[in-house]
Each structure stands twice: as C-alpha cells, then as structure tokens.
C-alpha cells in the first residue's frame, strides 16, 4: 500500500559547465519520476509515499546544482502531499556505507569533502532505523545523517553550509543554541 521512490542519477559539473541536457538527465530520474508516481497513484489510498532525497538539497554540494534541485523537488512534493492530506515523506540521506550506483563513483576527494561536513557513512542497519524513525516522525522532509560533531567542529565555520554552522560552533558538545536548517526545518 505504498511507494518508495529511491531512483537517482548524477551528472556532476561546476555551474559554468551545467547544461539543460545535464539537468534533464538528473531531473528525469528523480523529479520527473516522483511526479509520475504521484500522478499514477492519485486515485489510490496509500499507506506511505516515501522519496529518497539527498543532503545536497539542504546543504548544497559542489558540482551538484542539478542533483540538489531534483532532490529539492522531492522535498517539496512531500510537503505538497501532506498539505493535501496524503502521505508524503522525503528523506534527505547522508552517505551510506554500502556501495550503490551513485556512491560507487565517489573517490577519495569526494569522501574527504563529505567528511569535512562531519557526515560519516550509515550502515544499512542504521539507515533502515533512520527510515523507520523518519516515517514515525510525521514531518514531510527530514535529514537522515550520521554526523561526527567533533569533525564538524574542527572546520572553519565560515566554510560550512549555514545549517551546520551552529552545530560546529558547539565544539561537538551539543550545547549550542538551536538553529533551523534551510527552509526552516530544525536541525
């Protein structure tokens, strides 16, 4: 009685090298597919409608403007569905330890960049537990990240995405002021 949309595609390039074709490839796999699933199930009473998004939509990632935009569409679609009284959840995932079609392309530099954000890999068991927790939580969009607060605190806060700056400022103690992530979502 539910849909889980976990498809995605990457076509990374710095902004000057982005093109309509690159956007279309990434958009089709993530956003167009989500919109098609939304439309195809409009007449069904679903128990869940879950989309796998990425932390790229909330935190941004170099060379992934197209990927961030497609995932942000899924985040907005989940909110739209909930506002209409329908199930909708978009989980913005961090890194998974298990290799996938998307993560197989990550090299040492990419993993180091992600690590500087304090993001460490979820095991499959941790990921499934986060999915269960996100489903029970009830909000339409949640980040599902495993954060190393000490690694995050070691970074110059000016170089970090805004939602992570307050966490870094706590020095890993967890005693900072509460902050809101992009779009007003609590961190």
């Amino acid at each position: 009685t539910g849909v889980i949309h976990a498809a995605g595609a990457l076509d990374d390039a710095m902004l000057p090298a982005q093109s309509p074709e690159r956007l279309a490839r990434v958009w089709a796999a993530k956003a167009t597919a989500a919109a098609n699933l939304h439309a195809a199930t409009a007449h069904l009473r679903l128990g869940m409608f879950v989309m796998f998004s990425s932390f790229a939509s909330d935190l941004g990632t170099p060379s992934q403007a197209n990927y961030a935009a497609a995932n942000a569409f899924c985040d907005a679609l989940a909110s739209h569905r909930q506002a209409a009284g329908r199930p909708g959840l978009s989980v913005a995932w961090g890194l998974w330890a298990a290799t996938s079609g998307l993560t197989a392309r990550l090299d040492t530099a990419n993993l180091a960049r992600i690590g500087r954000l304090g993001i460490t890999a979820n095991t499959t068991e941790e990921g499934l537990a986060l999915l269960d927790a996100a489903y029970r939580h009830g909000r339409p969009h949640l980040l599902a990240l495993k954060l190393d607060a000490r690694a995050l605190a070691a970074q110059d806060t000016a170089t970090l995405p805004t939602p992570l700056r307050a966490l870094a400022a706590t020095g890993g103690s967890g005693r900072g002021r509460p902050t809101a992530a992009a779009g007003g979502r609590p961190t």
Side-chain angles (χ1 to χ4, degrees):
T1 62
V3 170
I4 297 181
H5 173 40
L10 293 174
D11 195 350
D12 296 355
M14 294 302 286
L15 202 51
Q18 285 289 350
S19 66
E21 295 79 22
R22 282 191 137 125
L23 175 61
R25 276 191 290 276
V26 173
W27 193 266
K30 183 65 74 176
T32 301
N36 288 341
L37 289 167
H38 169 70
T41 60
H43 66 287
L44 300 176
R45 250 184 86 138
L46 297 176
M48 74 167 93
F49 191 99
V50 179
M51 293 165 284
F52 281 27
S53 181
S54 168
F55 71 93
S57 66
D58 293 282
L59 304 180
T61 50
S63 302
Q64 293 189 323
N66 53 2
Y67 185 64
N71 283 287
F73 175 88
C74 291
D75 303 341
L77 180 57
S79 293
H80 170 75
R81 288 183 59 87
Q82 278 201 12
R86 300 166 74 191
L89 172 62
S90 185
V91 181
W93 292 105
L95 187 62
W96 286 67
T99 302
S100 71
L102 294 179
T103 61
R105 298 173 44 187
L106 294 176
D107 59 18
T108 304
N110 287 320
L111 293 172
R113 178 182 45 77
I114 293 168
R116 284 190 296 277
L117 295 176
I119 298 171
T120 61
N122 294 320
T123 65
T124 299
E125 293 78 19
E126 289 167 333
L128 293 174
L130 285 170
L131 178 59
D132 286 342
Y135 181 74
R136 286 190 311 271
H137 192 278
R139 292 192 108 189
H141 173 65
L142 296 166
L143 283 160
L145 301 172
K146 184 176 177 182
L147 282 175
D148 178 346
R150 286 190 172 80
L152 188 62
Q155 302 305 310
D156 175 5
T157 56
T159 65
L160 293 172
T162 302
L164 296 179
R165 289 180 184 167
L167 292 173
T170 67
S173 69
R175 293 194 192 115
R177 290 184 344 196
T179 187
R185 291 177 293 276
T187 56

